[in-house]
Amino acid sequence: SVRAAVAEAADLLGGIDVLVNNAGIGAAGDIAANPDAEWHRVWDVNVVGIARVTRATLPYLRRSDHAAIVNTCSIAGVAGLPNRALYSATKGAVAALTYAMATDHVREGIRVNAVAPGTVDTPWVGRLLAAAEDSDRTAAALRARQPHGRLVTADEVASAIAWLASPQAS
């Protein structure tokens, strides 16, 4: 289904110049909090999904004059966050995968980068806060651990991705 969707997009658009690997799911808890099935599910979406979609898109990117791939990583991939063992592990893998992909494809003219935002104000974070015993205190703690004292907005992440995907970032 991924190969078919990519082929259809390429046909409709006359090719593909940019791939944004943004699909991802969260997971809460320490190392023991999630069963193996959940580990496999989160890895499949957050890491294997990048490989799956990139594999399908590479033939089109190789034909582009300004190809770019932008992977969505997270600060969780490089900094220990409490109760995010599984999520952090996958985002650390995304960081390593991004470096490997960049090295593999730079000579083909395909730039590969990642954005690694802090905690983004998303519905998933909203659900975590709503489920917290003291949502106000939890929200304040979440904001406090961000270097700038607030959650990142989706628009801020989108702007970073758009710039990295643009020819100006070459």
Side-chain angles (χ1 to χ4, degrees):
S1 64
V2 170
R3 286 189 303 273
V6 167
E8 184 175 346
D11 288 344
L12 289 170
L13 300 170
I16 295 177
D17 298 312
V18 173
L19 168 61
V20 177
N21 284 307
N22 189 53
I25 54 177
D30 66 11
I31 193 79
N34 293 283
D36 285 357
E38 184 66 359
W39 277 80
H40 289 288
R41 184 178 82 90
V42 176
W43 274 87
D44 188 54
V45 173
N46 292 4
V47 182
V48 180
I50 289 175
R52 191 177 290 123
V53 176
T54 302
R55 263 195 319 262
T57 309
L58 272 175
Y60 303 99
L61 293 171
R62 287 177 173 136
R63 293 192 287 267
S64 172
D65 292 330
H66 51 275
I69 298 170
V70 183
N71 297 328
T72 302
C73 194
S74 169
I75 190 65
V78 295
L81 299 181
N83 290 310
R84 296 291 179 273
L86 169 53
Y87 179 74
S88 295
T90 66
K91 291 303 181 172
V94 170
L97 181 59
T98 299
Y99 285 121
M101 290 168 56
T103 301
D104 287 342
H105 301 293
V106 67
R107 287 197 171 85
E108 296 177 291
I110 302 170
R111 291 176 293 106
V112 183
N113 288 285
V115 294
T119 304
V120 182
D121 190 4
T122 63
W124 187 80
V125 170
R127 288 189 301 274
L128 282 179
L129 293 175
E133 191 172 303
D134 182 345
S135 60
D136 289 338
R137 191 176 90 209
T138 303
L142 193 57
R143 286 190 301 274
R145 79 175 191 209
Q146 308 308 310
H148 48 311
R150 65 173 176 79
L151 300 186
V152 177
T153 69
D155 284 345
E156 288 172 316
V157 178
S159 293
I161 291 170
W163 188 79
L164 286 171
S166 76
Q168 289 95 356
S170 65

Coordinates of all heavy atoms in Angstrom, one line a residue, residues 6 9-10 13-20 57-70 109-112 164-167:
V6 N 2.8 6.0 -2.9 CA 3.9 6.8 -3.4 C 3.8 6.9 -4.9 O 4.0 8.0 -5.5 CB 5.2 6.3 -2.9 CG1 6.4 6.9 -3.6 CG2 5.4 6.5 -1.4
A9 N 1.1 9.3 -5.9 CA 1.5 10.7 -5.6 C 2.4 11.2 -6.7 O 2.3 12.3 -7.2 CB 2.1 10.8 -4.2
A10 N 3.4 10.4 -7.1 CA 4.4 10.8 -8.1 C 3.7 11.0 -9.4 O 4.0 11.9 -10.1 CB 5.5 9.7 -8.2
L13 N 1.7 14.3 -9.2 CA 2.5 15.5 -9.0 C 3.6 15.6 -10.1 O 4.3 16.6 -10.1 CB 3.1 15.5 -7.6 CG 2.2 15.5 -6.5 CD1 2.9 15.2 -5.1 CD2 1.4 16.8 -6.4
G14 N 3.8 14.6 -10.9 CA 4.9 14.7 -11.9 C 6.2 14.4 -11.3 O 7.3 14.8 -11.8
G15 N 6.3 13.7 -10.2 CA 7.5 13.3 -9.5 C 7.4 13.6 -8.0 O 6.4 14.1 -7.6
I16 N 8.5 13.4 -7.3 CA 8.6 13.7 -5.9 C 9.9 14.3 -5.6 O 11.0 13.7 -6.0 CB 8.4 12.4 -5.0 CG1 6.9 11.8 -5.2 CG2 8.6 12.7 -3.5 CD1 6.7 10.6 -4.5
D17 N 9.9 15.4 -5.0 CA 11.2 16.1 -4.6 C 11.4 16.1 -3.1 O 12.6 16.2 -2.7 CB 11.1 17.6 -5.0 CG 10.9 17.8 -6.5 OD1 11.7 17.1 -7.3 OD2 10.0 18.5 -6.9
V18 N 10.4 15.9 -2.3 CA 10.5 16.0 -0.9 C 9.7 14.9 -0.2 O 8.6 14.6 -0.6 CB 10.0 17.3 -0.4 CG1 10.0 17.4 1.2 CG2 10.8 18.5 -0.9
L19 N 10.4 14.3 0.8 CA 9.7 13.3 1.6 C 9.8 13.8 3.0 O 10.9 14.0 3.5 CB 10.3 11.9 1.5 CG 9.9 10.8 2.5 CD1 8.4 10.6 2.4 CD2 10.7 9.6 2.3
V20 N 8.7 13.9 3.7 CA 8.7 14.2 5.2 C 8.2 13.0 5.9 O 7.0 12.6 5.7 CB 7.8 15.4 5.5 CG1 7.8 15.7 7.0 CG2 8.3 16.6 4.7
T57 N 10.1 5.8 -1.9 CA 10.2 7.1 -2.5 C 11.6 7.3 -3.2 O 11.7 8.2 -4.0 CB 10.0 8.2 -1.4 OG1 8.7 7.9 -0.7 CG2 9.9 9.6 -1.9
L58 N 12.6 6.6 -2.8 CA 13.9 6.8 -3.3 C 14.0 6.9 -4.8 O 14.7 7.7 -5.3 CB 14.9 5.8 -2.8 CG 15.6 6.1 -1.4 CD1 16.4 4.9 -1.0 CD2 16.4 7.3 -1.5
P59 N 13.4 6.0 -5.6 CA 13.5 6.1 -7.0 C 13.1 7.4 -7.6 O 13.7 7.9 -8.5 CB 12.6 5.0 -7.5 CG 12.5 4.0 -6.4 CD 12.6 4.8 -5.2
Y60 N 12.1 8.0 -7.0 CA 11.6 9.3 -7.5 C 12.5 10.4 -7.0 O 12.8 11.4 -7.8 CB 10.2 9.6 -6.9 CG 9.2 8.5 -7.4 CD1 8.9 7.5 -6.5 CD2 8.7 8.5 -8.7 CE1 8.0 6.5 -6.9 CE2 7.8 7.5 -9.1 CZ 7.5 6.5 -8.2 OH 6.7 5.5 -8.6
L61 N 13.0 10.4 -5.8 CA 13.9 11.4 -5.2 C 15.2 11.4 -6.0 O 15.8 12.4 -6.3 CB 14.2 11.1 -3.8 CG 13.0 11.3 -2.8 CD1 13.4 10.8 -1.4 CD2 12.6 12.8 -2.8
R62 N 15.7 10.2 -6.5 CA 16.9 10.1 -7.3 C 16.8 10.9 -8.6 O 17.8 11.3 -9.2 CB 17.3 8.7 -7.5 CG 17.8 8.0 -6.2 CD 18.1 6.5 -6.4 NE 18.8 6.0 -5.3 CZ 18.5 4.8 -4.7 NH1 17.5 4.1 -5.2 NH2 19.1 4.4 -3.6
R63 N 15.6 11.1 -9.1 CA 15.4 11.8 -10.4 C 15.2 13.3 -10.2 O 15.1 14.0 -11.1 CB 14.2 11.2 -11.1 CG 14.4 9.8 -11.6 CD 13.4 9.3 -12.6 NE 12.1 9.0 -11.9 CZ 11.7 7.8 -11.5 NH1 12.5 6.8 -11.6 NH2 10.5 7.6 -11.0
S64 N 15.1 13.7 -8.9 CA 14.8 15.1 -8.6 C 16.1 16.0 -8.7 O 17.2 15.5 -8.4 CB 14.2 15.3 -7.2 OG 14.2 16.6 -6.8
D65 N 15.9 17.2 -9.0 CA 17.1 18.2 -9.0 C 17.3 18.8 -7.6 O 18.4 19.4 -7.4 CB 16.8 19.3 -10.0 CG 16.9 18.8 -11.4 OD1 17.6 17.8 -11.7 OD2 16.2 19.4 -12.3
H66 N 16.4 18.6 -6.7 CA 16.6 19.2 -5.4 C 15.8 18.3 -4.3 O 14.9 18.8 -3.7 CB 16.1 20.6 -5.3 CG 14.7 20.9 -5.9 ND1 14.5 21.1 -7.2 CD2 13.5 20.9 -5.3 CE1 13.2 21.2 -7.4 NE2 12.6 21.1 -6.3
A67 N 16.3 17.1 -4.2 CA 15.6 16.1 -3.4 C 16.0 16.3 -1.9 O 17.1 16.7 -1.6 CB 16.0 14.7 -3.8
A68 N 15.0 16.1 -1.1 CA 15.2 16.3 0.4 C 14.3 15.3 1.1 O 13.2 15.1 0.8 CB 14.9 17.7 0.8
I69 N 14.8 14.8 2.2 CA 14.1 14.0 3.1 C 14.2 14.6 4.5 O 15.3 15.0 4.9 CB 14.6 12.5 3.2 CG1 14.5 11.8 1.9 CG2 13.9 11.7 4.3 CD1 15.2 10.5 1.8
V70 N 13.1 14.8 5.2 CA 13.1 15.3 6.5 C 12.4 14.3 7.4 O 11.3 14.0 7.2 CB 12.5 16.7 6.6 CG1 12.6 17.3 8.1 CG2 13.1 17.7 5.6
G109 N 22.6 13.4 -4.4 CA 21.9 14.6 -4.4 C 20.7 14.7 -3.6 O 19.8 15.5 -3.7
I110 N 20.6 13.7 -2.6 CA 19.4 13.7 -1.7 C 19.9 14.1 -0.3 O 20.7 13.5 0.3 CB 18.8 12.3 -1.6 CG1 18.4 11.8 -3.0 CG2 17.6 12.3 -0.7 CD1 18.0 10.3 -3.1
R111 N 19.4 15.3 0.1 CA 19.7 15.8 1.5 C 18.8 15.1 2.5 O 17.6 15.0 2.2 CB 19.5 17.3 1.5 CG 20.5 18.1 0.7 CD 20.2 19.6 0.8 NE 19.0 19.9 0.1 CZ 17.8 20.2 0.7 NH1 17.8 20.3 2.0 NH2 16.8 20.5 0.0
V112 N 19.3 14.6 3.6 CA 18.5 14.0 4.6 C 18.8 14.7 5.9 O 20.0 14.8 6.4 CB 18.8 12.5 4.8 CG1 17.9 11.9 5.8 CG2 18.7 11.8 3.4
L164 N 14.0 23.0 5.9 CA 14.9 21.9 5.6 C 14.6 21.2 4.3 O 15.5 20.7 3.6 CB 14.9 20.9 6.7 CG 15.6 21.3 8.0 CD1 15.4 20.3 9.1 CD2 17.1 21.5 7.7
A165 N 13.3 21.2 3.9 CA 12.9 20.6 2.6 C 13.2 21.5 1.4 O 13.2 21.0 0.3 CB 11.4 20.2 2.7
S166 N 13.4 22.7 1.7 CA 13.5 23.7 0.6 C 14.9 23.7 0.0 O 15.9 23.3 0.7 CB 13.2 25.1 1.1 OG 14.2 25.6 1.8
P167 N 15.1 24.1 -1.3 CA 16.4 24.2 -1.9 C 17.3 25.2 -1.1 O 18.5 25.1 -1.2 CB 16.1 24.7 -3.3 CG 14.7 24.2 -3.6 CD 14.0 24.3 -2.2

